């Protein structure tokens, strides 16, 4: 009889559950439930998902221009000639860019900061793509930058930092206004709220 059962070496399933449990919003219980669901639906769920994961990991690139993620670099938004070159909408993350694109109410360019200023998390101006943004303002035909940042302490201090950095540059700095609930995270807002906030933006 094998008394070392509890010390058995890690199986592929254990590794899968561990990896799933590390995903945002999941814990080990939901990770196990998902893993079991996939195992019971190997052909319909697990194999197509594994393929989609591999394909996405292989094909998606970070756009060196706006720092969004797409199948091409530069991305499809940066190369879309039907979009205005005069306005850059500054967002913290790709999720926020997707939230704004979902509303179809903005037809300009984007710039993804890659986070927000936060002393606690060790996020300073150098950790964000702020220099690249300033470079774009100076080197392109930008007339306005819209700071579409969350109405949180970090979002607002990042907005102030960028507005200060743009001081003296030939660009109008605006930010989202009405519609943003206090403490609201952009990614979680409904389309109508985002559209109202975008249309009611104000000069900083
Ligand atoms: Zn791009």
């Amino acid at each position: 009889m094998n008394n070392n059962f509890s010390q058995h070496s890690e199986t592929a399933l254990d590794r899968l559950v561990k990896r799933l449990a590390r995903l945002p919003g999941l814990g080990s219980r939901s990770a196990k439930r998902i893993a079991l669901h996939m195992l019971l639906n190997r052909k319909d769920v697990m194999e197509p998902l594994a393929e989609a994961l591999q394909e996405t990991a292989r094909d998606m690139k970070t756009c060196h221009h706006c720092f969004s993620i797409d199948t091409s670099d530069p991305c499809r938004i940066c190369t879309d000639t039907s979009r205005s070159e005069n306005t850059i909408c500054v967002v913290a993350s790709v999720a926020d860019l997707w939230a704004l694109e979902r509303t179809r109410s903005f037809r300009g360019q984007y710039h993804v900061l890659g986070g927000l200023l936060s002393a606690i998390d060790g996020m300073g101006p150098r950790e964000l793509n702020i220099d690249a943004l300033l470079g774009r303002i100076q080197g392109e035909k930008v007339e306005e930058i819209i700071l579409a940042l969350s109405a949180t302490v970090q979002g607002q201090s990042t907005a102030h930092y960028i507005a200060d950095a743009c001081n003296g540059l030939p660009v109008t700095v605006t930010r989202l206004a009405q519609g943003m609930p206090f403490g609201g995270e952009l990614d979680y807002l409904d389309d109508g709220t985002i559209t109202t906030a975008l249309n009611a933006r104000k000069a900083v």
Side-chain angles (χ1 to χ4, degrees):
M1 203 173 152
N2 184 1
N3 290 326
N4 292 329
F5 186 72
S6 61
Q7 292 163 14
H8 68 93
S9 58
E10 200 179 55
T11 64
L13 179 61
D14 295 331
R15 283 196 294 278
L16 174 64
V17 170
K18 258 193 207 167
R19 295 219 151 100
L20 286 171
R22 274 191 233 135
L23 296 176
L26 296 185
S28 71
R29 271 177 69 163
S30 28
K32 276 180 195 152
R33 211 177 313 146
I34 290 167
L36 181 61
H37 174 77
M38 289 198 287
L39 274 175
L40 295 175
N41 299 279
R42 223 177 282 201
K43 279 266 170 288
D44 295 337
V45 177
M46 195 174 211
E47 285 171 13
L49 179 67
E51 234 169 80
L53 286 172
Q54 252 175 346
E55 219 179 320
T56 312
R58 193 185 54 224
D59 296 347
M60 299 304 276
K61 302 168 180 74
T62 297
C63 173
H64 74 280
H65 193 229
C66 72
F67 300 93
S68 180
I69 295 171
D70 202 355
T71 47
S72 58
D73 173 23
C75 71
R76 278 172 295 177
I77 291 177
C78 285
T79 51
D80 183 345
T81 50
S82 72
R83 301 183 74 110
S84 162
E85 293 181 332
N86 303 330
T87 314
I88 296 180
C89 185
V90 179
V91 289
S93 69
V94 178
D96 292 343
L97 184 158
W98 288 345
L100 282 157
E101 277 299 279
R102 212 170 54 210
T103 68
R104 297 173 194 274
S105 45
F106 179 66
R107 296 290 300 160
Q109 306 294 314
Y110 285 99
H111 192 85
V112 180
L113 292 175
L116 292 170
L117 292 178
S118 167
I120 297 168
D121 302 318
M123 294 294 278
R126 275 191 209 148
E127 277 67 48
L128 304 179
N129 302 317
I130 292 177
D131 282 347
L133 172 67
L134 300 176
R136 288 181 71 181
I137 293 169
Q138 285 161 313
E140 296 171 27
K141 302 173 202 154
V142 186
E143 289 167 9
E144 179 185 1
I145 63 162
I146 304 169
L147 301 173
L149 303 173
S150 296
T152 57
V153 174
Q154 286 94 342
Q156 295 316 296
S157 61
T158 309
H160 281 301
Y161 182 90
I162 295 174
D164 280 350
C166 290
N167 217 338
L169 296 178
V171 70
T172 305
V173 182
T174 58
R175 68 176 178 197
L176 300 188
Q178 279 118 2
M180 292 283 281
F182 185 74
E185 298 261 0
L186 194 67
D187 187 25
Y188 290 98
L189 299 186
D190 62 277
D191 297 1
T193 307
I194 294 176
T195 304
T196 316
L198 191 60
N199 291 338
R201 64 184 184 271
K202 280 182 183 165
V204 178

